Amino acid sequence: SDLAPVGGFDDFGLGASNLHVYCATKAYVDALARCATAAGTTVRAYVVTPSAYATEMAGGLDASAEESTVVNSWFKGAAGDPDDVARVVEAMIDNSTLWAPGSNVVCEYKFTYDAHQRYRQLYAPEARGRIAVDVPLDALKDFRGDDAHLTPDAVDAIVRDFQAKHPPPGRGVGGEDYDAGSSSSSSSSSEKQNGASSSEEGANRRNDIWRGAATTHGADDL
């Protein structure tokens, strides 16, 4: 299996950044997996397409959670754990996956769906510039590709649970305002400020990408 991030499905525009080259390479990865499968060999090939996951490249948990509001179709505000992507890949390797060889499998939070949900909208004029697309809830699968049986209420509960456990910078657990100088805190103000600065730097790295997208397509499209 190979990895092709969700951003590879849509070009952010020529000239705004070098992401058009990045997106083209991801389209190549997808085509390569399909061609390898069509060749009739005994090699099984898949493409795994992650959305927003808390990785160092993405800027960490806070930046990835913010990114998820742009790229995720359902779990907006909830960054995935990279280990959940690894479970998808592991199932493909040990052949316990239900996904057919040649499949392009999108990973979103702890769930998956077939990338044809994105491809069927890719060339629609109204979808140009959009990173997240409309995916039917009943299209969501578990890490092996079995039906997830999710409801809108279940999705909302998952996002609320994530946000309660991982409040954004400047907010405490449960959503209360965070005061770096509060005497009730067990750590020093300087430690908190250093942590906030680190989170901000990580978020800024990823925000540069979205600024490029907004410049090309307009902020209302993102």
Side-chain angles (χ1 to χ4, degrees), residues 30 41-42 50 72 87 90 92 96 99 101 113 115 117 123 145-146 152 162 169-170 173 213:
D30 185 21
T41 67
T42 57
N72 282 3
R87 294 178 71 200
E90 183 179 28
M92 292 172 175
S96 64
W99 293 107
Y113 61 86
Q117 298 291 344
Y123 295 104
D146 202 2
F162 174 89
V173 174

Side-chain angles (χ1 to χ4, degrees), residues 170-172 176-193:
R171 306 289 289 181
E176 67 274 11
D177 289 336
Y178 172 69
D179 182 1
S182 173
S183 59
S184 63
S185 174
S186 61
S187 59
S188 68
S189 297
S190 60
E191 288 174 338
K192 293 171 183 174
Q193 290 168 353

Side-chain angles (χ1 to χ4, degrees), residues 73-75 99 104-106 108 111-118 120-121 134-142 145-151:
S73 296
W74 280 99
F75 298 92
W99 293 107
N104 186 329
V105 180
V106 180
E108 184 173 319
F111 303 93
T112 61
Y113 61 86
D114 195 313
H116 86 268
Q117 298 291 344
R118 299 183 63 82
R120 66 186 177 84
Q121 303 174 65
D134 298 327
V135 176
L137 189 56
D138 60 6
L140 294 183
K141 312 291 184 181
D142 66 11
D146 202 2
D147 289 338
H149 302 294
L150 289 169
T151 64

